[in-house]
């Protein structure tokens, strides 16, 4: 029924309409802002033993970044953050390390690590979340605008048909009763 209604009111259900193109562009913009949320990270873990583990079991990447930024702000001992989502470091709660210095990166086998400046990563993550919320709001508004426009077009076409039918009936002299 809804598909029939849209065909009757709008003429066709063209998937290449301008509204679907706008929605696609908004989706691509959302994805690109999420990809940009890396915060200038590099692959690998800072080498050396001069680190502080600031992670705990179940901690997310974002929470690790937030905690490392707090540690750096309070102590200046976390200029670099090395984070791993690999299973072994996660299981051992050894996945969120703060380093004061990081002259070399290590690449432990069977583990994936990324190293970043925690303050830059937090700022990028915060702005990315804000951008994502704005994009989602714009997408919702655009969707609402498309639906509202479709309803108005249907209403106008429906009343034009009624007026045309009434005019034809009046012109032919047929009584509507």
């Amino acid at each position: 029924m809804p598909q029939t209604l849209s065909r009757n009111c709008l003429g066709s259900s063209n998937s290449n309409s301008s509204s679907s193109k706008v929605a696609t562009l908004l989706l691509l913009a959302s994805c690109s802002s999420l990809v940009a949320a890396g915060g200038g990270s590099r692959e690998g873990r800072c080498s050396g033993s001069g680190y502080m583990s600031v992670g705990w079991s179940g901690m997310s990447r974002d929470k690790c970044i937030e905690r490392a930024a707090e540690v750096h702000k309070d102590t200046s001992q976390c200029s670099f953050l090395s984070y791993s989502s690999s299973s072994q470091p996660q299981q051992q709660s050894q996945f969120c390390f703060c380093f004061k210095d990081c002259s070399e990166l290590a690449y432990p086998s069977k583990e994936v690590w990324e190293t970043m400046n925690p303050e830059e990563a937090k700022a990028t993550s915060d702005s990315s979340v804000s951008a994502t919320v704005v994009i989602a709001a714009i997408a919702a508004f655009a969707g609402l605008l498309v639906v509202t426009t479709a309803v108005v077009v249907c209403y106008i076409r429906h009343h034009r048909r009624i007026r045309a039918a009434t005019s034809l009936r009046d012109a032919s002299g047929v009584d509507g009763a």
Side-chain angles (χ1 to χ4, degrees), residues 10-161:
L10 302 175
S12 71
S13 58
N14 184 359
S15 63
N16 288 328
S17 67
S18 61
S19 60
S20 67
K21 289 176 184 175
V22 168
T24 302
L25 287 174
L26 289 171
L27 181 60
L28 289 172
S30 296
C31 291
S32 66
S33 73
L34 290 174
V35 168
S41 66
R42 299 176 292 166
E43 188 178 322
R45 180 187 75 198
C46 290
S47 60
S49 58
Y51 66 87
M52 179 186 342
S53 180
V54 295
W56 57 81
S57 180
M59 178 185 256
S60 68
R61 178 184 182 274
D62 287 342
K63 194 68 175 169
C64 172
I65 291 170
E66 184 179 316
R67 178 69 184 126
E70 288 172 9
V71 168
H72 183 70
K73 182 178 155 192
D74 295 342
T75 68
S76 297
Q77 297 294 312
C78 195
S79 298
F80 297 92
L81 166 66
S82 290
Y83 173 82
S84 177
S85 59
S86 299
S87 60
Q88 186 174 355
Q90 287 284 328
Q91 290 169 356
Q92 297 172 351
S93 293
Q94 295 292 308
F95 58 88
C96 184
F97 295 154
C98 279
F99 293 84
K100 185 174 183 173
D101 298 306
C102 186
S103 57
E104 291 183 35
L105 292 174
Y107 305 91
S109 70
K110 299 181 183 177
E111 295 178 8
V112 176
W113 286 85
E114 61 178 317
T115 297
M116 65 201 87
N117 175 300
E119 290 183 325
E120 288 177 11
K122 184 176 182 325
T124 303
S125 178
D126 290 347
S127 67
S128 173
V129 168
S130 298
T132 303
V133 168
V134 169
I135 290 170
I138 291 170
F141 178 75
L144 183 62
L145 187 62
V146 168
V147 169
T148 303
T149 302
V151 168
V152 168
V153 168
C154 286
Y155 179 80
I156 290 170
R157 286 186 177 191
H158 176 72
H159 282 286
R160 283 183 182 167
R161 286 186 193 124

